[in-house]
Amino acid sequence: MSTAAIDVRGLRKSFKDVAVLGGVDLRVESGSVFALLGSNGAGKTTLVRILSTLLRADAGTATVAGRDVDRDASGVRAAISLTGQFAAVDGRLSGRENLVLIARLRHLRSPGAVADELLERFSLTEAGSRRADTYSGGMRRRLDIAMSLIGDPRVVFLDEPTTGLDPEARQEVWRAITRLAADGTTVLLTTQYLEEAEHLADRIAILHEGRILVEGTLADLRSLLPPAHTEYVVRQPSLEEVFLALTQKDTAS
């Protein structure tokens, strides 16, 4: 039986009279991608902040990488990395300089070699010498995730990593997350995008008003609804199809 990278039991958190988490239980297996799905205000970011030791729970227990988030916060911080909703990239530095800076702050040997390996791993080698403020949204996000991997954390928290990105940039980030999982990193991903959870996660939990409504694989969640049935409908052509048909016809003539 595999060991849980994250184990949460009865976690509660309120801000004054507002209950944000109302007794959350979840378990994330090592080396898996776990998606926490919920709308704004569901409590996703609060849960991540507690698990990453940035906030203390009012009640309940949580362990990350086998360490208690309250009693061994320093041990948890040594085993994790957190990427928030906005890229923590210094735009005045090049991509490589951002990576070297973090490697030096973590007191790693050969920070330049660490930076070069991550640039290659995230397909940023050609852009490595450019200032980060010239990067596209997807490139900045990939650089941000690369920075979070310096020091080989066992668990990575990605709090809504594709918020504000266009569809192409979102696909870039998805590929980066898929590579993380392939390398054995445990990923807890929060998102509002159903397609994102469906595409990336081994298991999915739906958090609503501070409580987990359901948790399981995609197949488990689909089984909660009646089986799909076939309907025949009249489909109108899309504007794109009209445009392509007309322009291709004009070109052919």
Side-chain angles (χ1 to χ4, degrees), residues 6 10 57 62 73 77 80 85 92 95 100 112 120 125 129 133-134 136 142 150 185 188 201 225 229 231 245-246 249:
I6 302 171
R77 287 193 289 269
I80 69 168
Q85 296 180 21
R92 297 167 297 178
V100 168
E120 181 177 0
T125 299
S129 60
D133 58 11
T134 68
S136 68
R142 277 154 48 207
I150 293 175
T185 303
L188 190 149
L225 297 181
H229 61 278
E231 292 184 351
L246 291 174
K249 180 180 178 181

Side-chain angles (χ1 to χ4, degrees), residues 84-250:
Q85 296 180 21
F86 303 99
V89 171
D90 190 332
R92 297 167 297 178
L93 302 178
S94 70
R96 188 176 189 274
E97 288 169 338
N98 271 282
L99 292 166
V100 168
L101 175 62
I102 300 301
R104 286 176 174 167
L105 290 173
R106 287 187 174 269
H107 306 290
L108 300 183
R109 294 182 178 179
S110 304
V114 171
D116 291 338
E117 188 274 330
L118 286 168
L119 288 171
E120 181 177 0
R121 181 175 173 184
F122 285 87
S123 303
L124 291 169
T125 299
E126 292 186 3
S129 60
R130 285 169 36 198
R131 281 175 54 131
D133 58 11
T134 68
Y135 285 12
S136 68
M139 292 170 68
R140 286 173 65 91
R141 205 39 148 162
R142 277 154 48 207
L143 177 61
D144 193 28
I145 294 173
M147 291 164 61
S148 73
L149 293 183
I150 293 175
D152 296 321
R154 295 165 57 187
V155 179
V156 173
F157 295 103
L158 301 177
D159 190 13
E160 300 195 20
T162 61
T163 296
L165 298 183
D166 60 43
E168 184 177 357
R170 186 171 296 141
Q171 290 285 341
E172 293 178 15
V173 175
W174 286 5
R175 287 191 289 270
I177 294 171
T178 299
R179 287 195 294 269
L180 285 184
D183 291 338
T185 303
T186 303
V187 178
L188 190 149
L189 165 78
T190 74
T191 183
Q192 300 180 57
Y193 303 121
L194 280 67
E195 182 185 6
E196 188 160 272
E198 184 174 345
H199 183 82
L200 294 172
D202 299 303
R203 297 184 71 83
I204 301 165
I206 297 177
L207 183 66
H208 181 67
E209 295 182 350
R211 295 181 180 273
I212 301 290
L213 297 183
V214 65
E215 184 267 328
T217 65
L218 179 59
D220 293 336
L221 271 58
R222 283 176 170 163
S223 70
L224 298 175
L225 297 181
H229 61 278
T230 303
E231 292 184 351
Y232 294 94
V233 298
V234 177
R235 178 180 175 275
Q236 297 294 330
S238 68
L239 181 59
E240 181 181 13
E241 290 170 330
V242 173
F243 174 82
L244 291 174
L246 291 174
T247 56
Q248 290 171 358
K249 180 180 178 181
D250 185 65

